[in-house]
Structures are given as structure tokens and as C-alpha cells.
Amino acid sequence: MGRSRRTLPEELLLLALDPATGTTAQPQSLDLGLAGAQLVELALAGRIAPDGDRIAVVQPRPTGDPTLDCALELLRRRGAPVRAVHWIGGPRLGLRQIYLAHLERCGMVAAVAGQMCGVLPTTRYQATDNAVTREIRGRLDSAIRTGVPPDPRTAALAALAHAVGLGKHLYPGNEGRSSRSRLRDLIRHDPMGGLVAHAVMDVQNGAAAQPRRNPAPAPAGRPAGPGARPGVPEPARGVPMQPRRGAMARAVVH
């Protein structure tokens, strides 16, 4: 894959950057969108393909993009097709920061150090060439305004922008309501983009969570605790509950 073309994760991130504040809109869902955008980019490069609601590697040859190739290798190691919702819902430590750092190296954004409440160090990112963002935004505007089916890349970008909630950032207020609706409708023009966008929304709605298994009945001969319901075992005594792991401490990038 040549580096003359910006990748979908880069374009999605540039769309999410607020030129006035240097922060990213919808930061939590944006992380999911970047993982999904990687899948679409790999599909456009012919490395993966949808298999129902799953993603299958069809060509493991590297693309030349280190971040995409890392994702491709992880998919290859799975051995079998993986559900898109499980892939996108998996841990993605620092993916947004990786792409911000890449855009900074490419000269598309500039990092601006600051402080929150005068104490906590923060980093904001300002676009250095607003023409790039205007070109990306113009493709979406054209697809929305003309109603002409967009190319797969633009259709996928629109689907991802809708999935992560950028509609209100790109087309705010009541006057942007029809544009947000048409942005959502563009999801149907690219099968892979649609699959990934729906997976991103499913993860946000909790559909990626594993269903709880029905508890096994209590072993025969074991007395049930007071008030215990038939078929529901009493919690094991002397076994402490495992605490949930907290998020790794790291600098927050808006």
C-alpha cells in the first residue's frame, strides 16, 4: 500500500479534531471507530474480507503501513475468522494516540502542550493544514448534497462517522438534522463499512459482552444456604471476589 493516500483511520481522526479547541469529538467511541476503520482499510487493500458477521484474512502480505500491519498480523494469528464486534470491542490501548503521533510526524497536526486546572498536563492537537480536513469534509458534503452513491472509501468514512457519533459535530443544530440523517443513510453504500459501523454501534450498546452462563446446580448432598433458591449454588466461602482491573494510568489526550 502506498503512503500517498491517507488511510481511513487518519481521515476519521482528522474529521473528529475540533479546529478551535484542538480536542477530539466523541473520544471514547472514536477509539472503537479507529479500530473499525483499520478493518475497512485492510479490506480496501484486499487483505481481509467479510465472512457473514466475521472478518477473514484472505491475503496476509503486509501493506507497508506499520499500524495496519500490526492489526493484520493479530487477525492472522487468530487462525479462524473473528466476529467484527469482538475485534472492535477488544483492548485497543493507545490507538488514538498512535494515530495522533503519526499525523504529527507527517506534519498534518501540531501538538500543543497545556495544563488542566493548572496542574494536570495535557496535549491538544491543532491541524496545520485545514485544506486537508476541508477536502475530506467536502467528500462527505458532496455525497450528502447530491445523493449520488459515493465511492466505497467515502461511504465507509460516512458510516464510521455516523457510528462514532460525529454527526452532531459535523452537522450541528436543527439545521443539520437532515444532513445527519443522510449521513446515516450512506451506511448502505459499502457492505464492509456497514458491517464495521454496525459492529461499532453494537459494542457501544453492550452487544459485544459475553452472555452470562446459567449457574450450575449445587452438588448433590451439599446443603443450600438459608433462603437459597433451588438450583442456584451458594457462593463459595473463603474465596474473595476478584477486583476489576482499572485502566492503566497514562496521560490523557483530548
Side-chain angles (χ1 to χ4, degrees):
M1 167 185 287
R3 294 298 300 139
S4 58
R5 181 193 293 272
R6 292 180 301 272
T7 64
L8 274 173
E10 295 163 7
E11 292 193 331
L12 184 65
L13 188 50
L14 286 171
L15 276 181
L17 275 179
D18 188 316
T21 65
T23 60
T24 53
Q26 304 294 331
Q28 301 303 320
S29 56
L30 182 60
D31 291 340
L32 303 176
L34 291 174
Q38 285 186 318
L39 292 180
V40 180
E41 191 65 51
L42 288 171
L44 290 171
R47 301 311 196 268
I48 64 175
D51 182 4
D53 66 344
R54 297 174 182 267
I55 303 297
V57 175
V58 294
Q59 173 54 265
R61 180 169 55 86
T63 66
D65 181 299
T67 310
L68 289 176
D69 289 340
C70 179
L72 179 62
E73 176 61 14
L74 290 174
L75 285 167
R76 187 193 65 81
R77 290 179 184 176
R78 294 292 185 96
V82 58
R83 287 188 65 199
V85 69
H86 288 164
W87 171 262
I88 292 171
R92 295 289 179 273
L93 293 179
L95 191 58
R96 183 160 36 108
Q97 286 75 14
I98 288 173
Y99 276 108
L100 283 170
H102 171 73
L103 290 176
E104 184 184 11
R105 288 193 301 270
C106 293
M108 287 195 243
V109 300
V112 180
Q115 288 184 330
M116 180 182 297
C117 300
V119 178
L120 182 65
T122 61
T123 304
R124 299 174 186 270
Y125 291 85
Q126 297 286 349
T128 57
D129 186 358
N130 290 327
V132 174
T133 304
R134 285 197 299 268
E135 183 273 328
I136 300 170
R137 173 72 178 270
R139 284 160 41 207
L140 292 184
D141 291 344
S142 177
I144 288 173
R145 183 179 63 255
T146 64
V148 176
D151 62 275
R153 179 175 295 274
T154 301
L157 181 61
L160 288 163
H162 166 71
V164 303
L166 289 184
K168 291 184 179 180
H169 168 70
L170 298 172
Y171 307 103
N174 289 332
E175 64 275 13
R177 183 178 301 173
S178 61
S179 294
R180 294 195 298 269
S181 177
R182 298 186 72 176
L183 180 72
R184 178 197 61 213
D185 292 342
L186 290 175
I187 200 171
R188 71 182 186 274
H189 289 294
D190 179 61
M192 185 65 180
L195 168 64
V196 169
H198 282 297
V200 169
M201 291 185 284
D202 284 345
V203 172
Q204 294 179 79
N205 293 330
Q210 292 290 337
R212 296 184 61 182
R213 296 179 179 178
N214 293 328
R222 178 179 174 180
R229 291 175 295 172
V232 180
E234 185 179 3
R237 297 179 181 178
V239 180
M241 294 182 65
Q242 295 297 321
R244 293 186 178 182
R245 294 181 178 179
M248 294 178 61
R250 60 179 184 273
V252 176
V253 179
H254 295 278

